Amino acid sequence: MSKTPQAIRGTQDIFGADAEAFAHVVATFERMRRLYRFHRVEMPVFEKTPVFARSLGETTDVVSKEMYSFDDRGGESLTLRPEFTAGLARAYLTNGWKQFAPLKIATHGPLFRYERPQKGRYRQFHQIDAEVIGAAEPTVDVELLVMADQLLKELGIAEGVTLQLNTLGDGESREAWRTALIEYFRDHRAELSEDSQERLERNPLRILDSKDPRDKPFTADAPRIDEFLSSSAQDFFGAVTQGLEAASVRFVRTPSLVRGLDYYRHTAFEFVTDRLGAQGTVLGGGRYDGLLEALGGPATPAVGWAAGIERLAMLVADTGLVPESQLTCVLAVEDDAALPFAQKAITALRFQGIDCEMIASGSPRKRYDKAVKAGARVIVSFTNRDGVPTANVKTSEPSAESLAVEQVLQQIHP
């Protein structure tokens, strides 16, 4: 007998209460998307490798270590998407979506990264994603942050989640800050961790969020972005913070919060909790005004965020707030001669939006007892009297559901 193949490490089969929490996150996100008037988009699961190599940076860990890349039969390198933003930017450029700018788009689905699986992190994982492309105003950053804050509140998981906020300045501010960081960290190169030594010249901002204890003494005294902000960058960040305050969205200024790639500008943010262990970020994003240029397009402002569905679902499950899906109606066929009528009835009920199940197997005498154990709000017993199939509606007390069931049965009664 052949051995059953096992699931691939870092993947998961989601079922039961976990699947309900997952679906609840997606449904709530879809409701928020429509509320904020974001267009739904569907994206390819794989792209040409340069879409991610150019947008994520050739030297980042994602590109060099974590991407699932392969050559197709034509010899072209393709990559399973490790994130959404680069593919959405590519679609904006190749499909002529500039005509719709500013374009508000949202999507969700699976992503793929070859990394060490741990709590809330998988090699195939899922995200929700919201982006605004073609809008440079700080009010757009505020709208996305308010949307994210409302999503967490609607999911019932905002308690204990902190919005960490920072600015990376405009291109001029960021470059001046980067130069100062390189000069500062050069003086401490020998005492930095190996990763930070490697990042020093090409990506010094990444040193600021290093988790290595050897770097902590030096990151605390490193130059801050505020020392290099232009007046326009200060005004931009001021408008974002004022907008959040007006919307009653609480935040904490976090100078160590950075984005290493050069195309990020201005706002950077993360919603963080301590309820998921070391993997504390549940939603994050920022403004990436230089990304579309990196993909060969014109200068185009953009901002967005993404959140891991698995992590959100874990938080939702912990609250016990996932709505239970109680069965509305169960049909117990106590006489096989009434089965055709029961089949007609269940079809009609479902077409009227009434969820129901039918019990028509096993001993006819035990079917009603099985129906009772199903815990439905309404039970319909089907029997056969004098050659005529009959339906008998039973419920603990009259309700909107029982009246709706009775109305459907009256319309189709033979």
Side-chain angles (χ1 to χ4, degrees):
M1 190 171 180
S2 61
K3 185 177 180 180
T4 301
Q6 298 299 302
I8 297 172
R9 184 168 183 255
T11 64
Q12 57 174 338
D13 304 306
I14 307 174
F15 176 74
D18 292 337
E20 291 297 329
F22 189 103
H24 179 58
V25 170
V26 172
T28 305
F29 172 68
E30 281 293 307
R31 182 159 51 83
M32 290 297 100
R33 173 188 69 78
R34 291 189 292 270
L35 182 64
Y36 283 77
R37 304 295 296 172
F38 277 66
H39 298 281
R40 169 77 182 168
V41 294
E42 293 288 348
M43 302 299 300
V45 173
F46 55 91
E47 298 268 3
K48 295 180 179 180
T49 298
V51 169
F52 302 114
R54 292 173 65 185
S55 65
L56 294 175
E58 294 281 0
T59 56
T60 65
D61 288 345
V62 172
V63 172
S64 61
K65 302 176 183 178
E66 297 176 4
M67 293 201 319
Y68 282 95
S69 298
F70 58 95
D71 291 340
D72 67 5
R73 292 183 179 181
E76 184 168 32
S77 179
L78 305 178
T79 296
L80 297 178
R81 61 189 185 197
E83 51 109 48
F84 277 118
T85 306
L88 291 168
R90 189 274 308 156
Y92 181 89
L93 295 172
T94 58
N95 292 310
W97 290 351
K98 182 179 179 180
Q99 62 181 308
F100 305 115
L103 179 62
K104 299 162 66 173
I105 51 180
T107 190
H108 61 80
L111 304 171
F112 306 86
R113 292 188 184 186
Y114 189 87
E115 55 186 350
R116 185 169 64 87
Q118 51 190 296
K119 184 178 181 181
R121 176 180 288 179
Y122 303 91
R123 291 178 175 174
Q124 177 179 321
F125 58 103
H126 301 77
Q127 284 187 349
I128 52 177
D129 185 281
E131 315 277 348
V132 182
I133 303 178
E137 299 81 12
T139 52
V140 177
D141 302 45
V142 173
E143 180 181 23
L144 274 165
L145 281 162
V146 173
M147 178 187 182
D149 184 71
Q150 184 174 357
L151 171 69
L152 298 180
K153 289 175 178 174
E154 295 283 335
L155 288 171
I157 59 175
E159 185 80 26
V161 176
T162 302
L163 168 57
Q164 297 184 350
L165 184 70
N166 197 22
T167 177
L168 305 176
D170 52 21
E172 175 188 343
S173 306
R174 183 188 173 101
E175 186 55 35
W177 184 32
R178 182 180 183 278
T179 300
L181 287 172
I182 291 175
E183 293 177 359
Y184 169 78
F185 284 122
R186 276 176 180 167
D187 294 337
H188 307 285
R189 179 193 293 269
E191 298 164 280
L192 295 174
S193 66
E194 291 77 10
D195 284 344
S196 291
Q197 289 182 33
E198 185 180 339
R199 291 166 175 165
L200 200 160
E201 301 294 336
R202 58 180 174 80
N203 211 343
L205 273 68
R206 291 288 306 280
I207 301 176
L208 296 177
D209 64 359
S210 169
K211 304 300 186 292
D212 195 304
R214 290 173 291 177
D215 298 326
K216 291 295 183 182
F218 308 108
T219 58
D221 296 325
R224 300 291 182 91
I225 181 62
D226 290 8
E227 303 170 33
F228 305 94
L229 287 178
S230 64
S231 57
S232 60
Q234 292 178 35
D235 292 343
F236 190 101
F237 191 54
V240 171
T241 57
Q242 289 169 17
L244 293 176
E245 289 166 356
S248 299
V249 175
R250 291 184 294 179
F251 62 90
V252 174
R253 176 70 191 281
T254 309
S256 62
L257 177 59
V258 296
R259 297 286 184 265
L261 300 175
D262 290 340
Y263 56 72
Y264 280 101
R265 305 282 191 274
H266 294 296
T267 317
F269 56 88
E270 291 182 357
F271 287 80
V272 178
T273 181
D274 59 2
R275 301 204 300 272
L276 291 175
Q279 303 303 318
T281 301
V282 296
L283 184 152
R287 179 165 283 276
Y288 51 94
D289 289 351
L291 173 58
L292 278 83
E293 282 185 272
L295 290 173
T300 307
V303 59
W305 57 254
I309 298 177
E310 285 88 351
R311 294 186 189 181
L312 293 175
M314 288 167 63
L315 293 173
V316 168
D318 288 343
T319 66
L321 296 177
V322 181
E324 293 185 11
S325 180
Q326 183 182 4
L327 180 61
T328 298
C329 180
V330 61
L331 282 58
V333 183
E334 297 189 84
D335 189 325
D336 288 340
L339 180 59
F341 180 38
Q343 290 173 325
K344 182 178 181 180
I346 197 170
T347 301
L349 288 167
R350 287 169 172 166
F351 267 82
Q352 290 300 315
I354 300 171
D355 61 286
C356 44
E357 294 281 6
M358 182 166 65
I359 298 175
S361 60
S363 171
R365 290 182 297 175
K366 297 180 180 179
R367 292 174 190 173
Y368 186 82
D369 291 339
K370 290 182 179 179
V372 172
K373 292 178 181 178
R377 296 187 182 94
V378 182
I379 298 176
V380 184
S381 171
F382 288 84
T383 57
N384 202 52
R385 296 178 183 174
D386 302 325
V388 179
T390 302
N392 184 19
V393 177
K394 299 181 180 181
T395 182
S396 57
E397 58 183 27
S399 63
E401 289 95 342
S402 64
L403 292 174
V405 170
E406 288 178 347
Q407 186 176 12
V408 171
L409 294 174
Q410 290 171 2
Q411 292 173 351
I412 65 168
H413 196 278

